[in-house]
Amino acid sequence: MSMADLPPELHDRYGLDRNPAKKIGYLLTVAAALIAALILASQLIGRDPTIQLINTGHKPLSNSEVLITYTVHGKAGVELECSATAVNDNFAEVGAKRWTWVMEEDSVSRELTLSTSERAASGSIEYCVPVS
């Protein structure tokens, strides 16, 4: 029995009915789906600006305050919600604050004087995220 003697319903299984138009159709469908996904991703990325927060330092000012310096890179006009914490030598939280503000420029360096319940060993900005 040769391959040509197979019943017609088995031709596709053994590659006897290969149709190049089918293969091209599948490739075009996959390419169109990939292009649509890329367009959608670029639209979503463009709507929500990426915010980069960099803690640049901290300095205890007294037993009840710590100065935290930080830089935020993003987009001017974006309203951000931020959170800061201060900890003592045992890493217990001794101060915290949440606030919102609007970025004046694409890159902003700021200082925050955070009130603490005792002398802080460290202080940092935990996050700055766009307000929805």
Side-chain angles (χ1 to χ4, degrees):
M1 181 173 186
S2 71
M3 292 293 267
D5 295 335
L6 288 174
E9 60 269 10
L10 296 179
H11 284 200
D12 188 46
R13 178 184 290 177
Y14 295 105
L16 297 176
D17 282 340
R18 289 199 178 137
N19 185 349
K22 259 187 188 178
K23 188 181 252 185
I24 291 171
Y26 291 138
L27 289 174
L28 288 175
T29 302
V30 169
L34 183 60
I35 290 170
L38 289 173
I39 290 171
L40 178 64
S42 70
Q43 292 296 317
L44 293 176
I45 290 170
R47 289 184 187 170
D48 190 17
T50 301
I51 302 300
Q52 180 184 16
L53 168 66
I54 303 168
N55 281 289
T56 55
H58 65 275
K59 177 182 175 183
L61 298 176
S62 68
N63 287 338
S64 60
E65 291 182 325
V66 63
L67 177 69
I68 302 169
T69 56
Y70 60 101
T71 301
V72 179
H73 301 289
K75 187 173 182 177
V78 173
E79 184 178 10
L80 300 177
E81 177 184 65
C82 297
S83 174
T85 59
V87 295
N88 65 13
D89 290 327
N90 296 320
F91 301 103
E93 186 176 285
V94 294
K97 180 178 181 175
R98 272 176 47 191
W99 71 100
T100 60
W101 61 285
V102 177
M103 291 187 65
E104 303 87 22
E105 300 175 12
D106 290 349
S107 184
V108 179
S109 293
R110 299 187 85 180
E111 294 181 340
L112 171 71
T113 302
L114 183 61
S115 297
T116 60
S117 59
E118 64 181 72
R119 187 164 187 85
S122 177
S124 66
I125 308 301
E126 298 302 316
Y127 65 82
C128 282
V129 295
V131 175
S132 299

